[in-house]
Amino acid sequence: MKSISLLLASATLAFAAGAQAQTTKPGLWEITNKMQSSSGEMEKAMANMEKQMASMPPEQRKQMQDMMAKQGMSMAPGSGGGMSMKVCITKEMAERNELPQQQQGDCKTTRSPGSGNTMKFSYTCTQPPSSGEGVMTFNGDTGYTMKMNTTTTVKGKPEKMTMDATGKWLSADCGAIKPITPPKK
């Protein structure tokens, strides 16, 4: 599950890092990520999580989905073996360039000046200890693509991961998905 948490943290961190450089449309967003790890552990963890979700009784699955919605996200298997999650960005968050980050620990993001619709960024986090760099390409205020390389530690061993992600705005109404509340500092 720690690997899954790292995936979610990386995805939301990357979304926040990139989207803060551009105006982002408020509402419901879908972020689809596909990660590959040097050890294959991430892929095994994702497959195991999907298997566990599929084997849950419907009422237990609904309970888990409701709990995740209250935390500001909805997850489902994405196309091509990736993971898709939905997040809500309020009008106020978009105006302040404050985007959803379900981030533990201390993370610092550095953005390079953009060139056209492309932006480079790098980050370091203390919990879980990780660092990475990436490139985002924006499609106006309703979409983006991203490639990111991350280095972290999994089960006490160094792990390198690559992530390809896309983000797309779905609607102005977030429905049951509540905005992620930033952690208290």
Side-chain angles (χ1 to χ4, degrees), residues 30-50:
E30 180 178 55
I31 303 169
T32 303
N33 304 288
K34 182 167 184 179
M35 287 193 86
Q36 293 182 311
S37 61
S38 56
S39 69
E41 288 296 318
M42 178 62 71
E43 294 86 340
K44 289 177 195 171
M46 294 294 291
N48 188 37
M49 185 184 83
E50 287 178 29

Side-chain angles (χ1 to χ4, degrees), residues 19-30:
Q20 286 179 5
Q22 294 239 169
T23 303
T24 304
K25 196 167 187 174
L28 186 62
W29 280 74
E30 180 178 55

Side-chain angles (χ1 to χ4, degrees), residues 28-161:
L28 186 62
W29 280 74
E30 180 178 55
I31 303 169
T32 303
N33 304 288
K34 182 167 184 179
M35 287 193 86
Q36 293 182 311
S37 61
S38 56
S39 69
E41 288 296 318
M42 178 62 71
E43 294 86 340
K44 289 177 195 171
M46 294 294 291
N48 188 37
M49 185 184 83
E50 287 178 29
K51 191 174 169 182
Q52 287 176 351
M53 287 286 284
S55 68
M56 284 181 182
E59 58 278 352
Q60 188 179 5
R61 189 176 317 118
K62 173 141 179 37
Q63 186 179 24
M64 178 172 270
Q65 290 167 336
D66 291 346
M67 179 188 74
M68 291 175 75
K70 286 179 185 170
Q71 293 179 12
M73 67 183 124
S74 166
M75 287 186 359
S79 61
M83 179 61 67
S84 178
M85 70 177 145
K86 293 180 182 170
V87 296
C88 182
I89 298 172
T90 66
K91 180 180 179 220
E92 294 77 20
M93 291 166 80
E95 287 171 353
R96 291 189 309 258
N97 286 330
E98 175 189 299
L99 299 171
Q101 293 187 65
Q102 189 174 42
Q103 192 66 42
Q104 299 174 346
D106 185 23
C107 292
K108 293 186 180 14
T109 303
T110 304
R111 291 179 283 281
S112 300
S115 173
N117 65 341
T118 301
M119 182 208 61
K120 293 181 180 182
F121 65 93
S122 62
Y123 74 92
T124 58
C125 297
T126 59
Q127 191 61 24
S130 60
S131 62
E133 58 186 27
V135 177
M136 293 188 82
T137 304
F138 297 93
N139 290 329
D141 62 354
T142 60
Y144 70 87
T145 59
M146 183 209 45
K147 291 189 178 294
M148 183 168 74
N149 295 311
T150 297
T151 303
T152 189
T153 304
V154 176
K155 296 181 181 177
K157 296 180 181 174
E159 181 84 51
K160 291 190 182 287
M161 291 182 257

